[in-house]
Amino acid sequence: MGEIYTFIDLETTGLDHETDQIIEIAAVKTDLEREYGRFQTFVQLDEGRELPNFITELTGITERELHGGTYSFLAVGALAKFFTDTTVVAHNASFDLSFVTGRAMFLEKFVCTRSLARLVAPTESPSLKDVCARHGIELNGHHRAMNDVLATIEVFRKLKPIADYRGIDYRNVVVNAPDRPLKYVPYGAKIVEVSAWCR
């Protein structure tokens, strides 16, 4: 059995981990050959919080769907238990981890596939949608957590061998760029400064 990865994706009420909250979590545990489990849940809105209309438009998630969801602290705790002793992979790790490790735990090993995409192809867009399009990866229902997790697995399958062959250091690396400045740096992360991508 090779290295075990847990691919995660979160949908949230907004972009600020200090004022917004998680509304959906998905995760898949795999060694890239075999799948070892999946985790998926809606997360109840905190008392008094409303779901912004633009988030419903973006994700398709409605406030009604969240009513039966897991409480936020229980959902994060369950996710943490699920990814224990694995390498966590997320397409925008600094964002996803800000909602998880920023409040709950120290994470020893992670990979940011958005940063990996920037390091492999510095002049190309690193967005999940664009990376998938370039590599012929199916991305249906973008901005739903499990759909994005499954696409991120395929992105990692494509980019990891390229980075390994070129000797690119991408583990625990987050990229800071003028077009997407870092708002949160996971504990122990290595920051790589890059210029804005262009076409």
Side-chain angles (χ1 to χ4, degrees), residues 1-3 5 30-36 153 157:
M1 180 170 58
E3 182 174 2
Y5 304 93
T30 177
D31 62 7
L32 301 180
E33 296 294 331
R34 175 183 167 193
E35 187 177 304
Y36 295 96
I153 292 171
R157 284 188 208 274

Side-chain angles (χ1 to χ4, degrees), residues 16 116 187:
D16 188 337
L116 175 57
Y187 183 79

Side-chain angles (χ1 to χ4, degrees), residues 5 87-90 93 109-113 116 156 170-172:
Y5 304 93
T87 300
V88 172
V89 185
K109 298 181 294 183
F110 73 88
V111 172
C112 175
T113 51
L116 175 57
F156 190 58
Y170 57 87
R171 291 177 179 272
N172 290 35

Side-chain angles (χ1 to χ4, degrees), residues 164-192:
D164 289 343
Y165 178 76
R166 295 183 189 171
I168 295 172
D169 179 17
Y170 57 87
R171 291 177 179 272
N172 290 35
V173 168
V174 290
V175 162
N176 189 44
D179 58 303
R180 184 65 73 95
L182 288 171
K183 295 181 179 177
Y184 173 83
V185 178
Y187 183 79
K190 295 169 278 188
I191 301 173
V192 174

Side-chain angles (χ1 to χ4, degrees), residues 5-11 24-30 32 35 37-41 79 82 88-92 96 113 128 132 137-157:
Y5 304 93
T6 302
F7 291 79
I8 71 170
D9 186 73
L10 311 178
E11 300 303 329
E24 186 184 29
I25 299 173
V28 172
K29 192 182 297 185
T30 177
L32 301 180
E35 187 177 304
R38 293 188 180 198
F39 174 85
Q40 186 171 19
T41 186
L79 176 64
F82 184 76
V88 172
V89 185
H91 190 69
N92 189 355
D96 291 308
T113 51
L128 183 60
C132 286
I137 296 167
E138 201 169 280
L139 178 58
N140 294 320
H142 188 24
H143 295 300
R144 285 304 302 270
M146 186 57 76
N147 296 338
D148 287 357
V149 162
L150 297 176
T152 300
I153 292 171
E154 297 310 312
V155 166
F156 190 58
R157 284 188 208 274

